[in-house]
Amino acid sequence: MTEPTLHTEHTCRLARPALDEIHAFLDSAFEGGFSEEDWDHTLGGLHACVRDGSGLLAHGSVVQRRVVHAGRSRRIGYVEGVAVRADRRREGLGGQVMAALEEVVDGAYAFGALSASAAGAALYTGRGWTVWPGRIAVQGSHGVERLPEEEGSTYVQGVAGAVVPSDGTAARTLVFDWRDGDVL
């Protein structure tokens, strides 16, 4: 068996067969719970894939989103579609994917954000991601709409100087841009 290798590529550089493979992989990894909107959210940024001779072992992508905080719009890196093949979990493959995505977030964006399931949270907290301590909202068709169901499962990384004021007194709401399907 060949050693797993990490490869990063922007969506625009992935051929249709590679995109189809990633899509099928994510649908399988999320046990059919990966919607067409989820797939759309995964596209348009940088993909990190770990492969070996047996095929795709792990995937994640980081895409650009806009978040408003304390009256300022910020360009952030939003992590999407992180999954590891079921028979290869707990081998550090998710960490390899996240390291590649975090490099992009650190080098290109004000900070990083993601929405984590209870099962996936340990990967992120172990890498220094923290639950956003304030409110989560979206700029919807009728203005800003609070998303209390996303509070406690939205994680951020690299925000110390970017959005959290040193005195801690400013509003602690992140207002994400609208998108179809699950907003976060």
Side-chain angles (χ1 to χ4, degrees), residues 90-121:
R90 310 288 182 252
E91 295 179 21
L93 302 174
Q96 288 181 30
V97 165
M98 287 304 298
L101 301 180
E102 290 162 356
E103 181 180 2
V104 174
V105 168
D106 292 345
Y109 297 106
F111 65 96
L114 58 84
S115 180
S117 66

Side-chain angles (χ1 to χ4, degrees), residues 6 8 39 51 59 65 74 110 114 121 125 149:
L6 173 74
T8 58
W39 173 239
R51 299 177 183 279
H59 171 272
R65 293 197 65 186
R74 300 174 191 276
L114 58 84
T125 58
E149 67 279 3

Side-chain angles (χ1 to χ4, degrees), residues 7 26 28 39 42 48 51 60 77 90 110 113 121 151 156 173-174 180:
H7 181 73
L26 292 171
S28 175
W39 173 239
T42 304
R51 299 177 183 279
R90 310 288 182 252
E151 295 166 6
V156 293
T173 300
L174 295 180
D180 291 333

Side-chain angles (χ1 to χ4, degrees), residues 115-133:
S115 180
S117 66
L123 170 64
Y124 310 117
T125 58
R127 299 191 58 78
W129 291 73
T130 59
V131 172
W132 178 254

Side-chain angles (χ1 to χ4, degrees), residues 10-12 14-24 39 43 47:
H10 193 278
T11 300
C12 73
L14 292 169
R16 176 56 44 202
L19 289 169
D20 291 344
E21 178 190 24
I22 293 168
H23 191 178
W39 173 239
L43 302 174
H47 297 261

Side-chain angles (χ1 to χ4, degrees), residues 1-179:
M1 183 179 287
T2 60
E3 282 294 311
T5 58
L6 173 74
H7 181 73
T8 58
E9 200 73 65
H10 193 278
T11 300
C12 73
R13 301 242 181 238
L14 292 169
R16 176 56 44 202
L19 289 169
D20 291 344
E21 178 190 24
I22 293 168
H23 191 178
F25 173 80
L26 292 171
D27 192 50
S28 175
F30 287 96
E31 299 174 346
F34 197 76
S35 71
E36 287 305 309
E37 288 92 355
D38 294 332
W39 173 239
D40 185 61
H41 300 166
T42 304
L43 302 174
L46 188 81
H47 297 261
C49 297
V50 177
R51 299 177 183 279
D52 72 2
S54 68
L56 189 56
L57 303 176
H59 171 272
S61 67
V62 62
V63 299
Q64 180 178 303
R65 293 197 65 186
R66 283 286 180 181
V67 170
V68 174
H69 178 265
R72 185 167 172 211
S73 177
R74 300 174 191 276
R75 186 174 46 82
I76 69 159
Y78 198 83
V79 174
E80 294 283 1
V82 176
V84 177
R85 200 169 77 192
D87 65 329
R88 299 298 298 267
R89 292 182 181 146
R90 310 288 182 252
E91 295 179 21
L93 302 174
Q96 288 181 30
V97 165
M98 287 304 298
L101 301 180
E102 290 162 356
E103 181 180 2
V104 174
V105 168
D106 292 345
Y109 297 106
F111 65 96
L114 58 84
S115 180
S117 66
L123 170 64
Y124 310 117
T125 58
R127 299 191 58 78
W129 291 73
T130 59
V131 172
W132 178 254
R135 292 183 173 177
I136 300 295
V138 65
Q139 180 64 50
S141 58
H142 301 293
V144 175
E145 301 172 23
R146 186 171 171 203
L147 301 173
E149 67 279 3
E150 298 296 341
E151 295 166 6
S153 64
T154 300
Y155 290 73
V156 293
Q157 181 251 14
V159 299
V163 297
V164 179
S166 59
D167 65 4
T169 60
R172 291 166 76 68
T173 300
L174 295 180
V175 182
F176 286 83
D177 54 349
W178 177 260
R179 61 186 188 174

